[in-house]
Amino acid sequence: MHNLKQKMKQNKTLDFIFSGKILFLLPAFTLISIFVIYPLMLAVGYSFTDYYLLKPNDISFVGFDNYMEIAYDKYAKKAFFNSAKYVIYIVPLQVILSLFLATLIAKKSKTNTLFRTAFFSPYILSIIVVSLLWKNILDPNSGIVNEFLASLGFAKQEFFSDPNLALPTISFIILWQGISFQMLILMAALQDIPSSLYEAASMEGANAWQKFKHITLPSIKGQVVFVLIVVTTGTFKIIIEPLVLTNGGPQGSTSSILLYMFEQGTRYRQIGYSSAITVIFAFILIFIAFVQRKLVKEEEG
Amino acid sequence: MKNIISFLMILLIFLALVACSNSSNNASENSDAEEEVKELEVWVHVPADDPEGENYDVRAKEFEEAHENVDVTVEHIVKTGGGSGYNDRVNAAITTGELPDIIALESVYTASYTDSDILLPLNEYLDEATFDSYLDTIISAGSVGDNIYALQSFDLSSPVFYNEDLFEEAGIEVPADENGNWTLDLAWSYEEFLENARKLKDHMGQEPVHMFTENNGWHMYAHSPIIFSNDARMVGENGLDTEGYLDSNNTKEALQFIDTLFRDGIVASTTREDAFALEEAAISFEGPWMVDVFENEYPELNWSIMPYPYGKDGHQSAPHGSWYIAATQNTEYPELSAELVAHLTNKDSAVKMEEEAGLIPGHQELLDSSETYSDYPRKLMLDQLVNTNHLKPKSPIFPVLEDALGDIMEGIALDNGSLESLINDAKEKVEREADRFK
């Protein structure tokens, strides 16, 4: 029985290949090959070399030296740790708050249209514009937030210069901008839930929490998992905000792993070393996505 | 039959085309032999409508007119923050081996580029008289070892601004020569600077000195001269050794002075934008471009310029450095490229850059006739450019040195660890990178 199933599967694959349908995949496959697979293979190759950007014709194989160096690099460790901090600060809040906002505005009404537009507007702004906007708002000397704090008699806060405040502040800005897109995805999922389910639940005497727990959440589980994976991997990939707002400082407290990799590759010109960081980073992301999917599947089972 | 005719027709057209293309190739080969056009490509980091960009276009045109069969193309690749847009393009060209004949580069990167055999030694193609015209500081910044690789027609030296009104109110006597000018030889030592800054603090009730504290290249440009003036160095002659340099007593003494500025509340731990313009600071380490800002936007501000404070006698130091022009090893015409570098940075360029951008002329002959820098306080910027030490490290790992100094300065400002631990961390960072080059 098992062999039969496998044979049928093989036949289907062969049919797909020879029927010409595979041609439809070709454009996407070509683009992915050029812009994702090929650079990744190059990065893997370079990670075993001492490639220095200014000496492209003098590259030597160094084995696992770059990987060993990462293990002893306290700045790399700090950057990995910072990226994990960003994930801890941002992911749970972003998923919960986007779900909360989506629930609030899922129903079609004129007021909700207004709210939807308002909530979504940060997303259409460029990350650099948003970063500069918040930099002004939170400026220790002339920023509106500090002016307000001062008027209440509180001390002015160095949001981007205080090593303890800088990372949470950047996390807040990322959260503020990113929440709207996830909200939109979840809102679309919420609108797909048949209203008859809620009507039936109401007739059975279910309260709002019970409806949310037993109808809403199970119905949008797929989308929640999607949002969770996208937000987690996206948060690990943070680079522009710390680059624009603090350049990784103060004292490296906001540097993310991607920013550190970028700095090693472009500023210090150590392509071999930064490629090794890229490879480790790619494995971490694949691992996280895999674990998240596995956990959700197990729960479904 | 029809097919045969079609085939013959296509064959005929094909042969005709081949014949035509051959004849045109022959024609072009003949004309090439007669007059070969030498094409030179120049990449600069400034837009065409900027005075500097415009100057390169004008000089390129002049060069074409003065040389038969030479075609110069200037490509303006605008730099973004930290020079990244332009630098990315140069880096990509290095990777693919497609560098142009001439490039603009930050003078501090000359050592990195020469270490990688990217630049052409100009002294092999130009005579000594050509170099004699330039300021020593420009020749020094563009040289590595015995060779000169990069030149520029102007330079910058960042001033230390002070507020005359606040000085007077605080009872500080401004040092002056017989003409009433605060000249270079009357600079304050570390101790004098501290003593007067404390008086200013007592009078103002807040941090009287303004410094930018963020960790970026500014520390190396504007603040490192304070350290170097104590006969201190970051690295040895080879640009890689830190032992006995970054951790020397002189370096520690200089950093201790900076630490005192922050611990005694003379400098604020974080940057206060516009503090000097708003008279919330009486002394400020800011860029020379602020002269125009103060004159145009703050006409009431009674500002002047004082010399950089120094640590040890005879070691006065001041900021310098800019983007320079260099020829690359990629050029097919080294002699012509070297000549073009000299032409792009000639005296006419210096005059134009002074007139249009207020920059210090980079040719000896023009210093006396300089209108902008003939009187104090602006003359002080010229004096410190010409007469002080310029000890920014010439090292293939300059970006790491810049960051390491930034880490120390930021650490001092934020009081993040002892001076000893900050120096050790910076030393470790530099050594790790230096090991790759040893």
Side-chain angles (χ1 to χ4, degrees), chain B residues 218-238:
Chain B
W218 186 249
H219 289 300
M220 182 62 92
Y221 181 72
H223 302 147
S224 67
I226 306 172
I227 302 163
F228 299 148
S229 74
N230 201 46
D231 196 14
R233 304 276 183 283
M234 285 191 80
V235 279
E237 279 297 309
N238 63 0

Side-chain angles (χ1 to χ4, degrees), chain B residues 5-6 11 48 99 130 138 141 164 188 200 204 252 277 280 282 352 376 400:
Chain B
I5 292 169
S6 302
L11 193 69
L99 273 177
T130 309
I138 287 177
E164 291 188 300
W188 280 342
L200 284 164
M204 296 170 69
K252 284 177 188 169
E280 290 165 6
K352 186 176 161 73
Y376 286 94
V400 185

